[in-house]
Amino acid sequence: MSQWVQQSEIPAAWVSLDSQDNDLYQFWSYIIAAFDSKTPSFATAMDPYLSALKTGAVEPLLAAMIHEFSIRGE
């Protein structure tokens, strides 16, 4: 996968997880940080929705992520 990404012009990010990452907030923090590395200010836009994860609400975050990708054309 790594070789393909390097040869491709498609922006990509990698997230490695282990058994200690079994926390909803931590998982999505890693995913958002990975996207932010390729899309500046993505994490800032997701911060209010990431905070809502502490209550277990995943849907608002996913909807916001989809919206961000659609307006950024990614």
Side-chain angles (χ1 to χ4, degrees), residues 49-70:
Y49 304 99
L50 186 59
S51 297
L53 278 179
K54 293 177 183 175
T55 65
V58 178
E59 292 82 8
L61 173 66
L62 296 176
M65 289 175 73
I66 291 167
H67 176 74
E68 279 296 311
F69 291 137
S70 70

Side-chain angles (χ1 to χ4, degrees), residues 31-43:
I31 299 298
I32 290 169
F35 284 131
D36 194 65
S37 73
K38 301 295 180 183
T39 308
S41 75
F42 184 81

Side-chain angles (χ1 to χ4, degrees), residues 44 47 51:
T44 303
D47 190 49
S51 297

Side-chain angles (χ1 to χ4, degrees), residues 15 17 20-34 43 46-58 61 65:
V15 176
L17 302 171
Q20 294 181 349
D21 295 322
N22 192 18
D23 174 83
L24 193 60
Y25 182 84
Q26 192 68 41
F27 172 78
W28 285 107
S29 293
Y30 291 155
I31 299 298
I32 290 169
M46 294 300 104
D47 190 49
Y49 304 99
L50 186 59
S51 297
L53 278 179
K54 293 177 183 175
T55 65
V58 178
L61 173 66
M65 289 175 73

